[in-house]
């Protein structure tokens, strides 16, 4: 491929201050620290403060990413926000609110919905605008406030998720690297395995939907687990094949941080070294679309990515959906 190439020029994350521990959850639902840790690897998660929203958290992450990139908000051509928990259900888009908060006066803005796969979907989408030469500078953010759509009486889901935001600034460059290959997948036959039943056009809000707690996440955990452990390794192998890379050439895999058992199963299946796989699910739980950009920031803070490194990001979630990207860091 010839240029323009796409480069991640800046990165940022935002984690709300409030830490919710497993022992606190023991007082809320019939669960235990031991169950949560052994089934998911999660020790604690962050919860947004009452005034915080997807756009306010995305704004914090975006400002950090712009600082790292040395880019002014007015230089942004486009803003994409991946979120399943937008500030408003129908309109405006969270991306429009973020555009205004940043003062990104030249930027177009839209939201992208692909649940936990949202960041990788948005990254690949943003990269296309840069690689085609249409835009030079694109902000891709992911922000999730699942604490607002969790049923805090449902122990099967409320112990697993947390709130967070992450963002990257994509820029055009003549130097080869960036997105090598990508894969976006969907199987809507599994729509009801992970969903929020009401509040949309299928089941508008009514007294009944509120009474029946249909505005909260419902999940068939075992089915999603099975789907993830088969689909994720396959997606990684396919994207590596398209990028002409072998699994042993992966310097860092950043998988969606949903469950340490899923990550371990993927690591084993791909025959990767443990050091080549990033995890932080113990500290943040599953932050949906935000999990990969937050993990990317922490990997960079820990010096785990160097120029020329082969990075693979892979996500899965509601839809059902999945997405993978092979990226040459530069
Ligand atoms: O971004 C994508 C989001 N979703 C996922 O990644 C979820 C994928 N699935 C999973 O991670 C796992 O399936 C879970 C962590 C959700 C559950 O682990 P599991 O080993 O599949 O447990 P299970 O659903 O088979 O449940 C085992 C038992 C059940 O009791 P019975 O029916 O065996 O008596 C549950 O009722 O554990 C019970 N249980 C709990 N016990 C204590 C479910 N939630 C809890 C809880 N505390 N929080």
């Amino acid at each position: 491929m010839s240029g323009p190439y796409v480069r991640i020029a800046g990165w940022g994350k935002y984690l709300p201050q409030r830490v919710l521990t497993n022992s606190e959850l023991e007082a809320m639902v019939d669960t235990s620290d031991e169950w949560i840790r052994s089934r998911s690897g999660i020790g604690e998660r962050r919860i947004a403060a009452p005034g915080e929203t997807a756009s306010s958290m995305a704004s914090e992450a975006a400002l950090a990413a712009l600082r790292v990139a040395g880019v002014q908000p007015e230089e942004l051509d486009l803003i994409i926000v991946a979120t399943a928990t937008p500030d408003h259900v129908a309109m405006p888009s969270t991306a429009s609110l973020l555009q205004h908060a940043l003062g990104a006066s030249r930027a177009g803005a839209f939201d992208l919905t692909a649940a936990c796969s949202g960041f990788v979907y948005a990254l690949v989408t943003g990269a296309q605008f840069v690689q085609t030469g249409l835009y030079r500078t694109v902000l891709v953010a992911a922000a999730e406030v699942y604490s607002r759509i969790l049923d805090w009486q449902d122990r099967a889901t409320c112990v697993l998720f947390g709130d967070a935001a992450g963002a990257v600034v994509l820029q055009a460059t003549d130097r080869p690297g960036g997105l090598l290959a990508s894969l976006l997948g969907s199987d809507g036959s599994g729509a009801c395995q992970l969903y929020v039943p009401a509040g949309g056009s299928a089941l508008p809000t009514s007294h009944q939907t509120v009474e029946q707690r249909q505005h909260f996440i419902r999940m068939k955990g075992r089915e999603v687990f099975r789907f993830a452990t088969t689909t994720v390794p396959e997606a990684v192998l396919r994207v590596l094949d398209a990028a002409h890379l072998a699994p042993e050439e992966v310097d860092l895999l950043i998988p969606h941080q949903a469950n340490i058992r899923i990550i371990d199963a993927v690591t084993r299946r791909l025959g990767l070294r443990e050091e080549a796989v990033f995890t932080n699910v113990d500290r943040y739980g599953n932050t949906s679309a935000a999990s990969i950009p937050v993990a990317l920031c922490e990997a960079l803070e820990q010096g785990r990515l160097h120029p020329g490194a082969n990075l693979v990001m892979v996500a899965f979630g509601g839809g059902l959906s999945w997405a993978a990207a092979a990226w040459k860091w530069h």
Side-chain angles (χ1 to χ4, degrees), residues 18-32 36 45 47 147 150-155 158-159 161 213:
R18 166 81 164 101
V19 175
L20 180 67
T21 62
N22 290 348
S23 15
E24 285 176 277
L25 281 164
E26 287 177 355
M28 295 161 66
V29 285
D30 181 15
T31 191
S32 65
I36 302 170
R45 72 288 293 141
I47 301 295
S147 60
L150 285 172
D151 184 343
W152 290 100
Q153 297 176 11
D154 176 17
R155 68 177 184 172
C158 75
V159 304
F161 295 90
R213 311 183 75 74

Side-chain angles (χ1 to χ4, degrees), residues 69-202:
V71 164
Q72 296 303 314
E74 306 81 48
E75 293 175 61
L76 292 174
D77 297 307
L78 179 68
I79 296 173
I80 309 175
V81 176
T83 183
T85 47
D87 287 26
H88 301 276
V89 173
M91 62 194 87
S93 71
T94 300
S96 283
L97 298 174
L98 176 60
Q99 174 269 319
H100 177 64
L102 295 175
S105 49
R106 288 181 49 249
F110 66 90
D111 286 1
L112 186 152
T113 306
C116 300
S117 312
F119 175 76
V120 181
Y121 260 82
L123 181 71
V124 171
T125 304
Q128 304 312 302
F129 282 98
V130 174
Q131 287 174 331
T132 58
L134 186 63
Y135 291 141
R136 290 199 63 80
T137 312
V138 175
L139 177 77
V140 176
E144 300 285 21
V145 205
Y146 269 46
S147 60
R148 307 263 160 81
I149 59 163
L150 285 172
D151 184 343
W152 290 100
Q153 297 176 11
D154 176 17
R155 68 177 184 172
T157 51
C158 75
V159 304
L160 300 174
F161 295 90
D163 301 336
V168 295
V169 174
L170 302 180
Q171 272 193 317
T173 174
D174 293 334
R175 279 187 294 130
L179 183 63
L180 303 174
S182 64
L183 179 153
L184 306 179
S186 168
D187 177 8
S189 71
C192 293
Q193 289 179 13
L194 180 50
Y195 79 133
V196 177
S201 59

Side-chain angles (χ1 to χ4, degrees), residues 30-32 35-36 39-40 116 155-156 159-161 194 219 221-222 224-225 256 258-259 261-262 286 316-317:
D30 181 15
T31 191
S32 65
W35 191 97
I36 302 170
R39 300 291 174 127
S40 71
C116 300
R155 68 177 184 172
V159 304
L160 300 174
F161 295 90
L194 180 50
M219 182 173 76
R222 261 176 246 186
V224 178
F225 191 95
H256 170 43
N259 184 322
R261 287 159 55 215
I262 295 175
N286 180 346
F316 64 92

Side-chain angles (χ1 to χ4, degrees), residues 169-278:
V169 174
L170 302 180
Q171 272 193 317
T173 174
D174 293 334
R175 279 187 294 130
L179 183 63
L180 303 174
S182 64
L183 179 153
L184 306 179
S186 168
D187 177 8
S189 71
C192 293
Q193 289 179 13
L194 180 50
Y195 79 133
V196 177
S201 59
L203 190 54
T205 308
S206 66
H207 286 295
Q208 198 184 354
T209 61
V210 173
E211 271 160 24
Q212 294 178 349
R213 311 183 75 74
Q214 290 178 305
H215 293 270
F216 299 126
I217 286 190
R218 297 204 181 157
M219 182 173 76
K220 293 183 184 142
R222 261 176 246 186
E223 281 85 340
V224 178
F225 191 95
R226 242 192 322 270
F227 150 73
T229 48
T230 52
T231 308
V232 170
E234 214 173 280
V236 172
L237 289 174
R238 280 183 55 194
V239 89
L240 285 176
D241 191 45
H244 308 294
L245 290 171
E248 51 275 19
E249 292 176 278
V250 174
D251 294 296
L252 191 65
L253 175 75
I254 301 186
H256 170 43
Q257 305 289 308
N259 184 322
I260 196 69
R261 287 159 55 215
I262 295 175
I263 296 173
D264 287 345
V266 171
T267 306
R268 275 196 306 275
R269 167 83 178 76
L270 294 170
L272 297 177
R273 294 166 293 120
E274 241 176 67
E275 314 83 75
V277 181
F278 191 89

